[in-house]
């Protein structure tokens, strides 16, 4: 097993493509996406019955080597600052190596 | 008197009663909810059906200058509404929020539009099929105005780090779907109409009931979210449809539309978008509070229009067209 | 002989064959599965359609004391079944679980009910439209009894920290939907019926096939979950529908119902809820093992009724009504 | 000339235009997307409807040796294609990937098949209902060959730690659904057909439009994923349908099929599976890159067939059948 | 970045509203919800094909400052004790501040 | 609260049953599943519009006592090696005890 940093990102579904682009620029190769989720944050309730895409969130999980984290955050932070959304970083072990 | 129109409207159209059912269920704190994947499908279905229908109708009408003028008037109307609403809304809101609100009112609510068509049909009142095509293109000018306003604001605040993603703004799924279906209806014409009739027409009213059930739930949720907004915003959402309807009726008279087309034109003016425009603004003005504009257009203006507005506007049109 | 009824029943109704297909697929360990969002939609569709249909039918019947008596008898039946099943079930189960089981058997399975209607139609047997309305209200007394029993238990054990959330228990989505649709059907009557017919009636049988496909899968899953429960519980799920059907037939005879109505009344008694009641009990009796009651009502009683029960009960009714 | 066929094909069938709409939307980077739960439902609907239809048709045909020979020829064809494609594909790919590709081309694309039927109907060309049943069983031999090849590879590499999960491979949801529906159609015959017609037939074309809209989006996504694969793979996905169609036409001539049946038989050969076979191979050959085989069969062969292939093959058949 | 406690809560969908109420009483301002999931726990398999709401779970993710955790748990625990469901607490870093 | 190991497993939906079997052999009693999600990994993009099941992922969350982890990993690893998929392990606290 191998130590990695796990990132969990929750953003507007409509801005997910931009986030993926930023992550890939930061060197991310793998990720998992859960679409069409709801939530509440600083910008109020996001719950559009899903046909109002503007009120829908997506949840993205990805991992990176600890030393790559800073580079990724540099790419990611301006996006979240501009358009809202959250990101949690935590420690995990990656099973396969 | 409008009150008769209203009761007629309610007791004959199951769709509106299902809207009320959803609304009441939500107030009763019920767990009733159309699954999201399905309400998204219903929305796709409605856009596809109405766009396709509009295209078929358009293919049956010969081109005329009267049609062209109606299109141009609708575009002009949309631009004017977006601009004046922006000027009003920016008084008490962030500029970004004002843009989102303005573009929403400059555009149209597809479901309000559909409710108008079935209202006219239930009264046996004539209207032209190309009015559906008018509705389908009317989403664009309001979004364009929104984007232009957003660029102006950014220039003013020298806050121009990201380029405007034009393509993404206009390739919004609702727009692609309604305009694409319009084209497909126009190309396949009566052959296509016959092939798709059982799907796009026969079960349409039933699908609409389900969608309005969900809308009722969402309106109730939006209303309770509104409680935190100020009084001036509430009243805006009541006043704007009335002002815009008046402009719509006036323009319809100028264009010499028949009564059915006039009601449709008026509803284009009076209704506000809560799907396509918010999605486009989410990308064009990311800092805007989109939830706010949706609360106004969906939470207040939408139920106002489908329950009171449509019969009221038609009552007025009947007065003036005598 | 019932065996003929049975084969007729199977070879003519695709819906029941799709149920068997789902069941077999699950036994074969297939990955076949209706997507959850879609099976929830199907369930909404069925409740809406049947409720609406019941309302329309009710609007066509003049009020009569006979109708009123049938309603009252159904309510009484539901109360009696809930109480006696509770007394039996609490012998070998936790009291909370006994409440969930009892309320489930006191109520009705909407899909079993639908299967009964189409069975009658396929035989060309008459029944009254208001029986659908009877079914729609019958969910309530069983839930009410469940809540009252729960309060009694809590009082006994002085375990009353949380207040009973009455509103949430009764504003359960299935109940709101079926009663709301009933009202809408009743208000809009034939105008509404005509508007929604292609949606609520024409494609109904097809939608039912899909839903029963999913039910087959779920029944197989429930049955394999059952293996851990005791033998007495298994047998209960076979015996209860037979006892309750007997009570139902007896009451139907007393009420002088015609054969079609008698079968419907009997199935109201014999079937058990696995949607509305478990959802209500989940809130009213949070400590209960809801999965257990669903395993009984859905895993055993439901397939027993739709495959053997309905033809059997009708065979008996034909005997007694001669 | 085929070009006329092509334009006819496009301007009359909304379904193919919706496919193009989805494709274009995806190229425009639109967020248009059928919700996954709904596209899975659409796929279930199509399999159920077409299988059921095939079963009903089969029940109307008396058994004949001609039918039997057609079945056997189709199975033989499937085995031959799987084997020769494997031999070609393993030259430049991992053996596991070659198996997945080969089994996919040995099987059939249900949607291409459906497009063929509606193409024939739009031309008023006759075909036999049992050809649908032929299609329904043709998925099996290709999967079986895939499994046998996989076992051989494992034996060669002594990599046999896990037993082959036979049941799971063949109880794949698409296979269960199409064969189950075929049986149900066969059992319930015209009674069943009448009951389900509004669902399985009337709204079929509309549902197909929605499904093809989603297919258009997925094809565009697959194509952009393809850019990383080599040129030889691309060309394979163009060449295989043409070779296989030629074999299909040749065999059809030998079997003395009528023109309609010949086109269907040819499309069975020319099309490749991207649902049932990849799902089966995912289990039988877990180390294979399933995405690759789907990119070929769905990304290239599928659009090639439904836009150019079908009219082209029929043009050739018309030449040879004179 | 800022240290937070991350809570992951899995409960019956029908009891989600009560959980949200409890969290908000405990001071939570933001959360994310994934609806309509299935699982297995002490009370058996939860998988109702989703039309049996009583057999459906929801997954809620939220974060709070480490010092606020105790207060939230006090609100949450009785609910889970009464009606089942699970909650995991872990450490994470919150990207935006 | 009680220290546990949290496992997050992302695999092809079609292989989920095998994973659950392995976990249960390893002693797991409870888990949560989110179906029908998409992602990207070594084997390319998994996104089949969901009707192509072969291109669909599932997300499974489970927990175990720290001392049980090794046994579970022994069961799990060969499955992921053979058919792809990822697993992250992290530390968490279990609220109920
Ligand atoms: N504290 C939190 N914990 C979990 N999710 C959150 C939290 N705050 C915000 N979110 C999610 O992030 C989305 C965007 O947040 P915001 O930009 O603050 O409105 C919300 O809709 C939630 O889904
Ligand atoms: N150890 C676990 N890991 C992950 N999820 C769990 C675990 N135990 C229970 N769950 C989830 O919590 C739900 C309720 O659990 P319970 O109240 O124990 O039946 C289950 O249906 C699962 O979705
Ligand atoms: N670094 C990662 N972070 C999150 N999810 C991943 C990661 N790598 C792979 N995945 C997920 O695991 C699935 C299978 O991965 P793979 O077997 O590498 O193709 C992918 O489709 C993703 O959903
Ligand atoms: Na407007
Ligand atoms: Na009962
Ligand atoms: Na083939």
């Amino acid at each position: 097993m191998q130590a990695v940093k796990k990132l969990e990102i929750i953003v507007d579904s409509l801005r997910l493509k931009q986030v993926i682009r930023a992550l890939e620029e930061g060197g991310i190769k793998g990720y998992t996406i859960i679409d069409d989720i709801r939530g509440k944050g600083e910008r109020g309730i996001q719950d559009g019955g899903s046909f109002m895409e503007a009120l829908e969130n997506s949840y993205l999980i990805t991992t990176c080597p600890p030393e790559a984290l800073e580079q990724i955050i540099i790419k990611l932070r301006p996006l979240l600052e501009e358009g809202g959304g959250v990101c949690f970083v935590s420690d995990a072990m990656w099973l396969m190596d | 008197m409008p009150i008769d129109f209203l009761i007629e409207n309610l007791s004959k159209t199951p769709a509106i009663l299902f809207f009320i059912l959803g609304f009441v269920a939500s107030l009763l704190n019920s767990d009733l909810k159309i699954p999201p994947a399905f309400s998204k499908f219903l929305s796709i279905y409605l856009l596809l059906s109405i766009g396709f229908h509009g295209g078929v109708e358009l293919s049956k009408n010969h081109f005329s200058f009267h049609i062209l003028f109606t299109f141009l008037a609708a575009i002009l109307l949309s631009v004017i509404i977006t601009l004046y609403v922006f000027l009003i809304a920016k008084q008490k809101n962030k500029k970004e929020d004002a843009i989102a609100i303005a573009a929403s009112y400059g555009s149209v609510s597809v479901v309000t539009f559909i409710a108008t068509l079935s209202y006219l049909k239930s009264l046996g009142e004539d209207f032209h099929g190309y009015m559906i095509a008018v509705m389908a293109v009317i989403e664009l000018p309001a979004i364009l105005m929104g984007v232009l306003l957003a660029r102006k604001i950014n220039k003013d605040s020298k806050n121009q780090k990201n380029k405007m993603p034009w393509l993404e703004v206009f390739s919004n799924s609702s727009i692609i779907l309604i305009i694409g279906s319009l084209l497909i209806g126009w190309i396949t014409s009566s052959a296509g109409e016959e092939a798709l009739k059982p799907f796009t027409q026969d079960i349409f009213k039933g699908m609409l009931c389900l969608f309005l059930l969900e809308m009722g739930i969402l309106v109730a949720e939006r209303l309770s979210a509104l409680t935190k907004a100020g009084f001036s915003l509430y009243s805006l959402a009541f006043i704007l449809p009335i002002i815009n309807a008046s402009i719509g009726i006036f323009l319809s008279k100028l264009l010499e539309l028949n009564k059915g087309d006039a009601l449709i034109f008026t509803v284009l003016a009076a209704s506000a978008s809560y799907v396509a425009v918010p999605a486009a603004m989410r990308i064009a003005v990311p800092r805007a509070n989109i939830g706010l504009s949706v609360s106004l257009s969906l939470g207040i203006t939408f139920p106002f229009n489908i329950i009171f507005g449509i019969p009221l506007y038609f009552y007025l049109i009947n007065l003036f067209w005598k």
Side-chain angles (χ1 to χ4, degrees), chain A, chain B:
Chain A
M1 290 208 288
Q2 197 181 322
V4 292
K5 289 287 176 182
K6 191 177 95 176
L7 285 86
E8 294 165 82
I9 303 169
I10 299 154
V11 285
D12 290 283
S13 299
L14 285 168
R15 305 192 91 229
L16 182 65
K17 275 189 192 164
Q18 291 176 46
V19 168
I20 293 175
R21 217 144 42 207
L23 291 173
E24 290 187 333
E25 280 169 15
I28 287 288
K29 295 252 152 52
Y31 51 81
T32 294
I33 294 167
I34 306 178
D35 288 301
D36 209 351
I37 59 171
R38 55 198 180 101
K40 185 174 172 182
E42 280 172 24
R43 292 170 305 139
I45 289 179
Q46 282 268 314
D47 181 6
S50 138
F51 71 91
M52 292 185 287
E53 290 167 294
L55 297 175
E56 191 185 314
N57 287 339
S58 286
Y59 182 45
L60 186 148
I61 307 170
T62 188
T63 56
C64 66
E67 61 278 11
L69 182 63
E70 213 189 303
Q71 186 53 30
I72 290 165
I73 288 180
I74 290 173
K75 296 278 176 189
L76 192 60
R77 195 191 293 256
L79 268 177
L80 302 188
E81 264 165 11
E82 192 194 34
V86 301
C87 172
F88 319 131
V89 182
S90 56
D91 293 310
M93 302 298 290
W94 172 274
L95 186 65
M96 316 302 292
D97 41 20
Chain B
M1 270 208 12
I3 194 77
D4 302 333
F5 279 84
L6 182 60
I7 287 169
E8 266 294 292
N9 192 18
L10 285 181
S11 74
K12 273 198 181 157
T13 36
I16 298 200
L17 294 172
F18 275 104
F19 173 79
I20 294 171
L21 177 60
F23 189 83
V24 171
S26 186
L27 294 189
L28 291 178
N29 213 10
S30 169
D31 56 323
L32 181 62
K33 202 153 176 47
I34 304 285
F38 194 73
S39 75
K40 198 184 270 178
F41 159 70
L42 283 174
S43 145
I44 291 173
Y45 169 83
L46 294 181
L47 290 170
L48 185 154
S49 298
I50 197 78
F52 184 78
H53 190 49
V56 170
E57 293 297 327
L58 200 62
S59 76
K60 292 177 183 166
N61 285 288
H62 287 293
F63 173 83
S64 80
F65 279 103
H66 191 245
I67 298 184
L68 186 69
F69 283 142
T70 314
F71 269 90
L72 292 179
I75 292 172
L76 187 73
L77 180 71
S78 172
V79 170
I80 292 173
I81 293 178
T82 311
L83 285 179
Y84 99 77
V85 175
F86 173 68
L87 293 178
I88 295 179
K90 81 170 180 180
Q91 306 298 329
K92 300 224 175 173
N93 297 283
K94 281 198 309 168
K95 278 184 184 163
E96 284 86 357
D97 296 353
I99 293 177
I101 295 172
S104 167
Y105 280 86
S107 179
V108 59
S109 148
V110 176
V111 178
T112 311
F113 178 83
I114 289 171
T116 309
L117 296 193
S118 61
Y119 181 72
L120 288 174
K121 276 179 199 156
S122 78
L123 296 180
E125 193 72 44
D126 271 352
F127 60 90
H128 284 96
Y130 61 74
M131 292 304 288
I132 307 176
V134 173
M135 185 271 289
V137 297
I138 211 68
E139 311 241 38
L140 297 176
I143 293 178
L144 182 64
M145 291 309 297
V147 174
L148 293 177
L149 287 170
R151 276 170 44 122
K152 187 160 176 335
I153 284 182
N154 280 344
K155 226 175 258 162
D156 292 355
S157 66
K158 308 208 151 69
N159 192 342
Q160 226 180 346
K161 53 189 164 197
N162 285 315
K163 278 191 299 177
M164 179 62 62
W166 285 99
L167 197 61
E168 278 182 50
V169 170
F170 282 98
S171 70
N172 175 274
S173 69
S174 326
I175 294 175
I176 293 272
L177 203 54
I178 201 161
I179 293 191
S181 305
L182 189 88
L183 284 175
I184 293 175
W186 185 69
I187 295 173
T188 61
S189 194
S190 2
E193 187 181 29
E194 208 200 299
L196 298 193
K197 184 177 170 300
F199 185 68
T200 57
Q201 293 183 32
D202 295 352
I203 62 173
F204 187 88
K205 282 183 187 160
M207 300 288 261
L208 185 62
C209 286
L210 277 177
F211 194 66
L212 279 174
L213 182 69
E214 168 76 357
M215 298 281 287
I217 299 167
L218 289 173
V219 165
E221 281 171 4
R222 279 291 130 191
L223 276 184
S224 63
L226 252 185
T227 46
K228 285 154 207 160
F231 177 74
S232 68
L233 267 176
Y234 284 80
S235 44
L236 206 58
F238 281 110
I239 296 171
L240 286 179
I242 295 179
I243 302 182
N244 293 342
S246 312
I247 308 181
I249 292 177
F250 176 75
L251 267 178
S252 301
K253 191 80 193 168
L254 274 191
L255 287 164
E256 301 186 335
L257 301 179
N258 69 28
K259 287 199 291 182
D261 292 357
L263 180 64
I264 294 175
F265 198 88
T266 302
V267 168
L268 292 186
S271 69
S273 169
Y274 41 74
V275 178
V277 172
M281 292 304 112
R282 196 73 205 80
I283 294 170
V285 209
R287 264 179 306 270
N289 180 347
I290 295 296
L292 189 67
S293 80
V294 171
S295 289
L296 298 182
S297 57
L298 177 62
I300 300 182
T301 303
F302 172 74
F304 173 79
N305 274 326
I306 63 162
I307 296 186
F308 305 102
I310 297 175
L312 175 69
Y313 308 148
F314 198 57
Y315 173 73
L316 294 176
I317 287 171
N318 271 312
L319 280 188
F320 291 126
W321 259 245
K322 258 180 207 147

